Amino acid sequence: MCFAIPMQVRSIDGFLAHCEAKGVEREVNLFLMQHESIEVGDYLVVHLGQAIEKIDAERAMEAWEIYDAMLASNGSPSG
C-alpha cells in the first residue's frame, strides 16, 4: 500500500523542491503543480516523489496525526 505524505517545502529550484517531513528530507518534482504558486514554507502532498496537491498546515498536521496513530498500532487490526 502506498501513501501520499504531507511535506513542507524548504527550497525550490525550478521544478524541484527540497522538502521535509518528520526529519526526513526528499527532492520532490513539482512538474504536476506547475500551474500552482508554490513557495518555501508551503505544504505539499507527495506521492512517489511527485507533488500532487498543495494543502494548508492544519490539514498536513491532521494527516500526520492519523499516520502516527497507524504507526503506533504497529499495523495491528483493531476490534
Side-chain angles (χ1 to χ4, degrees):
M1 179 181 334
C2 295
F3 287 101
I5 303 297
M7 300 189 84
Q8 187 173 31
V9 177
R10 299 295 187 198
S11 65
I12 300 172
D13 182 16
F15 285 122
L16 287 179
H18 182 82
C19 298
E20 185 271 333
K22 300 235 175 217
V24 176
E25 299 179 6
R26 295 281 185 266
E27 290 294 324
V28 174
N29 190 304
L30 299 175
F31 187 77
L32 296 175
M33 303 288 298
Q34 63 183 302
H35 300 294
E36 291 277 341
S37 174
I38 307 294
E39 299 179 9
V40 171
D42 286 345
Y43 287 87
L44 303 173
V45 177
V46 178
H47 180 66
L48 300 173
Q50 305 289 320
I52 59 172
E53 184 180 3
K54 182 176 169 181
I55 59 175
D56 62 29
E58 182 180 350
R59 189 163 164 217
M61 296 311 130
E62 288 171 356
W64 274 110
E65 287 175 9
I66 293 167
Y67 295 153
D68 287 342
M70 289 172 25
L71 290 170
S73 72
N74 291 323
S76 301
S78 61

